[in-house]
Amino acid sequence: MEHVRLHEVSKFYGQVLAVDRLSLSINQGESVALLGPSGCGKTTTLNLLAGFLQPDGGTIRIADRDVAGLPPNKRNLGMVFQSYALFPHMTVAENVAFGLKLRRVESAERERRLKEALDMVRLGGFADRFPRQLSGGQQQRVALARAIIVQPDIMLYDEPLSNLDAKLREEMRSELLDIQDRIRITSIYVTHDQEEALALADRVAVMSNGCVEQIGTPDEVYEKPATGFVAKFLGESNVLPGTVARADGTSVVVDLGGHSVHCQTSERFSAGDRVEVVVRTERLAVSPERLSTDNCFKARLHHAIYLGGTIRYLVQLGDHRLIMVEKNRGDRAALSEGSEVYVGWPAKDSLLVKLP
Ligand SMILES: Nc1ncnc2c1ncn2[C@@H]1O[C@H](COP(=O)(O)OP(=O)(O)OP(=O)(O)O)[C@@H](O)[C@H]1O
Ligand SMILES: [Mg+2]
């Protein structure tokens, strides 16, 4: 069942078009991530939903009701931001219960829900502390408990984990997943961190320049990018410009200037089309011996960078510098820099982007 619908919503700041006829539909209980580069309009979209901003065009419907002109406090939303925005002079308990007090929930009920909310974010023992006595991750949990306790219909998150260090971010990510599983509330999660979007959302809306380029499940947007922007924005890729030499149904051969690359695609291409072949760094293989895969080329290993869990290879293929990332299983002798190697990948891992 549809819960939130944005239909051709636009927003200007003066001359700047921040959101450009954006359409998006979110189902009841679904978690959707808005993912895109800085300045693409994610926060603006969230603020339009929350009612802090009014659209210059289009409509926003929540639970089948046009919310134009409806103030934020009448939309029953919970919000968690990058900055925790806790009240510094209030304890954790006072911060979390604040919304219930405003709503005049009686004190026994307030205590019960406070305990439940603090337990949910694993801060049971912290009720009497002040925000300054908490770590960043703990403060963010207080902000989350404060939003959840009022039982909002929809949760809006704007980069809630981006102030946390990498390890804590990972931890909070799985906690958020747990909490989402338990409360199953419609959630919109803004981030420019792709892993976070892929990990947390049922569907990911990839945005650029104020509109949604593609919306799909995490593996749809990653494996079947609908546009060149999505192909290049998600993951880490090698982008190789070339010209289509032959196209035969789903099978296309691209000339990179000396190297012929086999590609598989569901789109139509014809000989002479200018294209980019996009290959994710984790789909390439490098080896001292010839590889039995659709594309295999002799190349030179320029650099091998040891990163612990992975090894990153920089390989020179003609004019192209390829990056590839391999899992370090600890079972193979290091390839020596400067040596001749083979680099290869399957045709299905060559994403094709048509150039204008
Ligand atoms: N108050 C404002 N006045 C003028 N321009 C603004 C204002 N807020 C945002 N913008 C502009 O609108 C566009 C979209 O901004 P928005 O904050 O929605 O981007 P974002 O996707 O959230 O980016 P980030 O990832 O950096 O947070 C940008 O070009 C930005 O410079
Ligand atoms: Mg933002």
Side-chain angles (χ1 to χ4, degrees), residues 105-290:
V105 173
E106 54 107 3
S107 77
E109 168 75 359
R110 212 160 64 211
E111 285 304 313
R112 189 186 64 73
R113 277 163 67 176
L114 174 64
K115 183 175 180 318
E116 194 180 85
L118 288 178
D119 285 346
M120 178 161 313
V121 298
R122 300 195 298 119
L123 284 179
F126 292 73
D128 298 326
R129 292 222 199 160
F130 287 92
R132 64 171 183 279
Q133 301 169 313
L134 300 174
S135 71
Q138 290 163 342
Q139 289 185 51
Q140 196 54 305
R141 288 203 195 114
V142 176
L144 182 59
R146 186 180 56 179
I148 288 174
I149 199 169
V150 299
Q151 297 168 339
D153 297 324
I154 299 170
M155 280 293 290
L156 303 179
Y157 299 94
D158 194 354
E159 312 256 5
L161 308 185
S162 61
N163 274 351
L164 309 178
D165 66 44
K167 193 146 173 77
L168 196 52
R169 200 150 64 213
E170 194 108 338
E171 257 175 56
M172 280 292 286
R173 196 197 281 169
S174 45
E175 271 184 40
L176 271 178
L177 264 177
D178 276 356
I179 292 173
Q180 244 170 44
D181 271 351
R182 266 183 284 166
I183 60 178
R184 265 296 140 201
I185 187 174
T186 306
S187 311
I188 299 151
Y189 194 100
V190 161
T191 180
H192 62 259
D193 179 325
Q194 5 178 326
E195 275 198 17
E196 211 165 286
L198 297 173
L200 284 173
D202 300 318
R203 285 191 302 155
V204 177
V206 183
M207 288 181 63
S208 89
N209 295 323
C211 37
V212 173
E213 288 259 333
Q214 183 177 7
I215 180 160
T217 60
D219 71 299
E220 273 166 6
V221 293
Y222 192 80
E223 303 293 344
K224 296 192 171 56
T227 66
F229 174 82
V230 178
K232 288 184 269 183
F233 183 72
L234 289 179
E236 186 190 27
S237 299
N238 295 287
V239 180
L240 308 168
T243 309
V244 172
R246 292 197 307 278
D248 177 14
T250 60
S251 164
V252 174
V253 177
V254 175
D255 177 19
L256 297 186
H259 296 96
S260 292
V261 175
H262 294 266
C263 311
Q264 249 174 39
T265 172
S266 51
E267 270 180 87
R268 289 227 144 269
F269 287 89
S270 346
D273 284 348
R274 303 244 311 110
V275 294
E276 284 171 336
V277 181
V278 179
V279 192
R280 306 243 194 260
T281 57
E282 82 278 8
R283 302 291 162 93
L284 292 166
V286 64
S287 163
E289 286 109 44
R290 184 171 282 283

Side-chain angles (χ1 to χ4, degrees), residues 39 42-44 82 158-159 190:
K42 304 180 296 292
T43 296
T44 305
Q82 177 176 353
D158 194 354
E159 312 256 5
V190 161

